Structure formats: C-alpha cells, structure tokens
Amino acid sequence: MTCQLGVWAAEKGQVAKLRFWYIVSFLMGAVFVGGQLYEVHASWSTRAQRCRTSAYDSVFYLTTGFSRLHVTGGLIAFLFMAGTHVRREALHP
C-alpha cells in the first residue's frame, strides 16, 4: 500500500510525498526481513532435524524463504531507484 501511495504521488508530480512513501516502504520491508531472519534463527535449532522429515516444516521454510527473497529484491530495487534519483538530481539540480 505504501509503495502504491508513492506511485500515485509520482503521477501527480509530488516528489516529497514520493520520497516519504518510498522511505516508509523500504523501512517496513527491512523490518519484515529482519523479523523473518530473527524467527528463522530462533527456531532453526528446534526445527533443523524435523525439516528433513516433516512436510509442514519444509513447506514453511520454503514459502517464508521465497517471501524474504521477494521483499529483499524489492529493497534492492528501492536502493537502485534512490541512487538513480540522487545521481539525476546531482547532474540536474
């Protein structure tokens, strides 16, 4: 939702709102990935053996892993867009 609010702000030419919503989106994504990594680390010792034999645990780690990859890709895209924007502003103030 926050990313889409940034897109709508960009369509209206509201650069300050675009930056705000993209920063909020980035921070929310970073908190999500950090929380997921914490949960995996906290539960890995108890589930490591069961993951080989339990379909539930295998599917759980597979789906949450893909979710983390998806959000991490979005965070990288946000950083790329921010870098491009900063370079563009430096060249054309």
Side-chain angles (χ1 to χ4, degrees):
M1 181 67 188
T2 57
C3 187
Q4 185 59 47
L5 289 169
V7 170
W8 289 333
E11 289 173 350
K12 295 176 185 174
Q14 300 169 335
V15 178
K17 282 188 179 181
L18 165 70
R19 286 183 191 149
F20 172 78
W21 287 118
Y22 276 8
I23 289 169
V24 169
S25 298
F26 183 87
L27 292 175
M28 288 173 60
V31 167
F32 172 78
V33 170
Q36 287 287 305
L37 291 174
Y38 174 78
E39 287 293 326
V40 167
H41 177 70
S43 70
W44 184 253
S45 61
T46 59
R47 292 188 178 212
Q49 295 297 347
R50 292 188 317 187
C51 196
R52 294 187 193 120
T53 58
S54 169
Y56 172 81
D57 286 340
S58 297
V59 171
F60 172 79
Y61 282 110
L62 185 66
T63 55
T64 58
F66 277 124
S67 179
R68 279 190 305 277
L69 283 175
H70 170 92
V71 175
T72 300
L75 293 175
I76 292 168
F78 274 123
L79 291 175
F80 177 76
M81 288 174 30
T84 302
H85 182 73
V86 167
R87 263 182 288 146
R88 190 175 302 148
E89 279 191 347
L91 293 174
H92 307 288

